[in-house]
Amino acid sequence: MQPRIEDYALIGDEQTAALVGPDGSVDWLCLPRFDSGACFARLLGDEDNGHWRIAPKGVRGPCTRRAYRPDTLVLDTEWETDEGVVRVTDLMPQRDVAPDLVRIVEGVRGRVTVRSTLRLRFDYGAVIPWMRRADGHRVAIAGPDAVWLRTEPPVRTWGEDFGTHSEFTVAEGERVAFVLTWHPSHHPRPPLVDPFEALRTSVEDWRAWAARCTYDGPYRDAVVRSLITLKALTYRPTGGIVAAATTSLPEQLGGVRNWDYRFCWLRDSTLTLGALLAAGYHEEAEAWRNWLLRAVAGDPADLQIMYGLAGERRLPEAELPWLSGFAGSAPVRIGNAAVEQLQLDVYGEVMDSLSLGRRAGLSPRPHVWSLQCVLMRWLDENWRQPDEGLWEVRGGRRQFVHSKVMVWVAADRAVRALEEHPELRGDPDRWRALRDEVHQEVCEKGYDPERNTFTQSYGSRDLDASLLLIPRVGFLPPDDPRVVGTVDAIRDELGHGGLVRRYTTDGATVDGLPGDEGTFLVCSFWLADALHMTGRTKEARELFERLAGLANDVGLLSEEYDPVAGRHVGNFPQAFSHIGLVNTALTLFADEAG
């Protein structure tokens, strides 16, 4: 039986990541980067698409228990058998040259026979590599990829059924380490990593990083786990943060809403920056801000909603027909065609992020204000256009209310910057006029007075969870009756099982897609924020407690949750969900921090 999405745990080295199932199988790993082709793609297919399982011989089911070592991304998985207890410790140490996947098998009690089955399949499970022995190790080569497998101490290894197998016995206190190392096939083998030293330093490094968290209130463990997850989803060389470690995990089991999230979205920028700054991670916040500046440099008309890990602009979408999809959810996609969409809200996100960075004292960049002025000039001339909106709908452009609210945010932050920093030069009169004009239009065309709620788009009766951000961004004060009415309407009309959908998918009139999706976890965190801001803190805390309780056994959240099936859906783990958890916890419990 294939594990559920929420059954997986994440390990990574801040350049890529792997998903480890409860049966001891690594079912997803892209090398050398998050967005590279997967060499283990069982997650989206079957065992023949690549995986690596280490478990007691003859045991096919899940482990007895597993957990991250406290405040780390080092995973311990244990099995209790009739012969004894064995532990597998999984980690990806921060790389010097090449990425390494380290798996250490340790006898805890008795004597247990362990079996390792490795099936490497490059290019998302499509290519079976040529495997040979070299220097006492096994090396797999196909096209641009080469992977070395070694053990310390050596154990017997053989090839069978297009896989590499090992079998050995460990007694209490004995350890056997497996190391899988990738490098370009035209390069020589990289230096060997000491797996046991890598384990020690990884634990120390992660704990030192987690100790920098300045939050000391309720749910601190959940907050720290979310921050570690965000750190793990960061592409260290550039500071970019991917939305998730996976592609094509379905928003509806068996459905077609399967997208590649291994890229960096501008929509996440302000909330990400705020979470990192509020938790005390200024270095990471500055790296994210600097990634943002590099990515958006250029003609403001070409501003994209997402970019690659280093700011790449071309992310062509393609389908992989040889993969059946998670739980039969096809097609499996790589790349993301939504990169070509117009989303006016990203201009507000960029302006807000840069303003937040300036107020937080991030190191100044001389060209930042010039960039903001250029963005404002383009926005002043183009804000009336319809767009695809925050959620990248594929049902045609509309006058989305959230997009217009974020245009207002852009103008507001520009005006505030001039007021707070008189040395800056700009056009305050024009930007104030723009701010006032947008505000008036949204309140006239995006508000339904009969139902006392803002709507998804001008003239529509549909709602959108992004409207919950109206008080957060300062468009209207939280006690404004229109804000309270909108919060209530969204909870009533988009609520599902006590959580919140992004928007109504009935008839696929907005997003142009068949099928349905689960409740969106970050939107549910936004509802908790909005309830708190509108004076309903008890309800907000109850909702937060439920959301925090949806995290899996190792503290991870996916993109969405299906309350009917009781299952996580969507890509995993999802940065946006963990950003929501951090921000909401800091909002609700800051007064209780020690």
Side-chain angles (χ1 to χ4, degrees), residues 83-411:
E83 290 75 32
V85 178
V86 66
R87 175 187 304 126
V88 175
T89 299
D90 290 315
L91 66 143
M92 293 189 72
Q94 283 195 11
R95 66 182 78 168
D96 291 325
V97 177
D100 297 291
L101 171 56
V102 176
R103 314 196 72 187
I104 298 174
V105 182
E106 181 178 1
V108 178
R109 188 177 70 246
R111 293 182 60 87
V112 181
T113 300
V114 177
R115 183 78 179 255
S116 167
T117 300
L118 169 67
R119 286 190 171 89
L120 280 165
R121 301 291 187 267
F122 296 126
D123 193 22
Y124 301 99
V127 178
I128 301 176
W130 172 44
M131 181 75 77
R132 62 182 173 85
R133 290 186 181 274
D135 299 333
H137 306 156
R138 294 243 172 196
V139 58
I141 297 176
D145 300 296
V147 167
W148 292 73
L149 175 69
R150 63 186 176 91
T151 64
E152 292 189 14
V155 297
R156 177 174 170 260
T157 302
W158 71 95
E160 180 183 329
D161 297 331
F162 300 102
T164 301
H165 304 267
S166 302
E167 189 173 301
F168 55 96
T169 300
V170 289
E172 181 176 342
E174 294 180 341
R175 295 193 297 180
V176 175
F178 289 76
V179 182
L180 190 76
T181 304
W182 178 95
H183 67 90
S185 59
H186 61 284
H187 287 184
R189 186 194 69 190
L192 301 180
V193 65
D194 180 334
F196 305 109
E197 178 65 11
L199 171 60
R200 185 188 68 79
T201 57
S202 291
V203 169
E204 289 180 356
D205 290 348
W206 276 112
R207 286 179 176 165
W209 188 87
R212 289 168 48 199
C213 177
T214 57
Y215 175 73
D216 193 26
Y219 293 93
R220 188 180 190 278
D221 288 346
V223 169
V224 170
R225 178 53 52 194
S226 291
L227 290 166
I228 288 174
T229 304
L230 290 177
K231 180 71 168 172
L233 294 175
T234 300
Y235 185 62
R236 187 181 182 90
T238 67
I241 301 175
V242 296
T246 58
T247 179
S248 296
L249 290 181
E251 296 173 5
Q252 180 184 35
L253 295 175
V256 301
R257 297 167 181 263
N258 316 316
W259 314 109
D260 194 344
Y261 274 20
R262 297 171 299 157
F263 309 115
C264 308
W265 265 256
L266 297 192
R267 74 178 182 194
D268 306 0
S269 58
T270 303
L271 296 175
T272 302
L273 199 63
L276 292 172
L277 289 169
Y281 291 97
H282 284 243
E283 179 181 333
E284 288 74 15
E286 186 153 321
W288 169 244
R289 191 278 310 267
N290 292 343
W291 174 90
L292 179 66
L293 286 172
R294 293 191 300 271
V296 305
D299 189 338
D302 298 330
L303 190 68
Q304 298 183 177
I305 67 171
M306 72 181 85
Y307 295 86
L309 307 178
E312 297 91 346
R313 291 173 173 264
R314 299 188 186 278
L315 312 174
E317 186 174 301
E319 297 180 3
L320 307 183
W322 61 86
L323 292 175
S324 59
F326 185 92
S329 308
V332 171
R333 297 181 176 94
I334 58 171
N336 201 314
V339 71
E340 301 173 1
Q341 291 185 353
L342 172 66
Q343 293 183 16
L344 293 173
D345 64 283
V346 297
Y347 292 85
E349 293 289 356
V350 171
M351 292 292 294
D352 200 15
S353 294
L354 298 180
S355 296
L356 176 59
R358 186 180 292 111
R359 292 196 304 273
L362 297 185
S363 60
R365 293 289 185 269
H367 63 286
V368 169
W369 181 245
S370 297
L371 170 65
Q372 291 182 270
C373 290
V374 172
L375 293 176
M376 286 305 304
R377 283 195 293 271
W378 186 91
L379 199 57
D380 190 19
E381 297 174 359
N382 293 276
W383 72 271
R384 293 179 180 82
Q385 293 187 55
D387 71 344
E388 275 88 4
L390 173 71
W391 305 123
E392 301 148 26
V393 299
R394 302 192 180 196
R397 294 182 176 182
R398 298 187 177 203
Q399 297 285 1
F400 285 101
V401 171
H402 175 264
S403 296
K404 305 305 184 190
V405 168
M406 293 310 294
V407 171
W408 177 91
V409 168

Side-chain angles (χ1 to χ4, degrees), residues 431-582:
W431 295 342
R432 286 192 185 94
L434 172 62
R435 182 175 63 177
D436 294 343
E437 184 179 3
V438 174
H439 197 280
Q440 181 178 351
E441 180 177 291
V442 168
C443 291
E444 290 178 356
K445 297 182 178 180
Y447 174 71
D448 183 346
E450 294 182 4
R451 296 155 65 211
N452 187 31
T453 182
F454 286 95
T455 59
Q456 184 179 53
S457 60
Y458 291 174
S460 169
R461 289 185 60 84
D462 292 333
L463 300 181
D464 193 303
S466 62
L467 301 170
L468 293 168
L469 296 173
I470 284 176
R472 185 185 187 116
V473 300
F475 184 83
L476 286 173
D479 59 357
D480 188 294
R482 292 167 293 184
V483 169
V484 177
T486 300
V487 174
D488 291 340
I490 288 173
R491 185 159 58 164
D492 291 342
E493 297 186 28
L494 296 183
H496 181 47
L499 306 177
V500 179
R501 298 178 183 271
R502 291 188 292 180
Y503 50 80
T504 301
T505 56
D506 297 344
T509 57
V510 173
D511 61 22
L513 296 165
D516 205 350
E517 64 177 24
T519 57
F520 214 71
L521 292 180
V522 76
C523 295
S524 301
F525 282 113
W526 292 349
L527 175 59
D529 294 338
L531 288 170
H532 172 66
M533 294 181 75
T534 54
R536 291 171 278 186
T537 299
K538 181 176 182 295
E539 296 174 60
R541 292 189 175 192
E542 290 172 351
L543 177 55
F544 175 85
E545 290 168 1
R546 181 176 178 203
L547 288 164
L550 294 179
N552 72 358
D553 61 312
V554 290
L556 303 181
L557 292 167
S558 65
E559 177 186 20
E560 302 182 12
Y561 183 77
D562 182 343
V564 176
R567 295 276 299 272
H568 285 231
V569 287
N571 282 300
F572 177 89
Q574 179 80 1
F576 221 8
S577 299
H578 286 281
I579 292 165
L581 187 150
V582 173

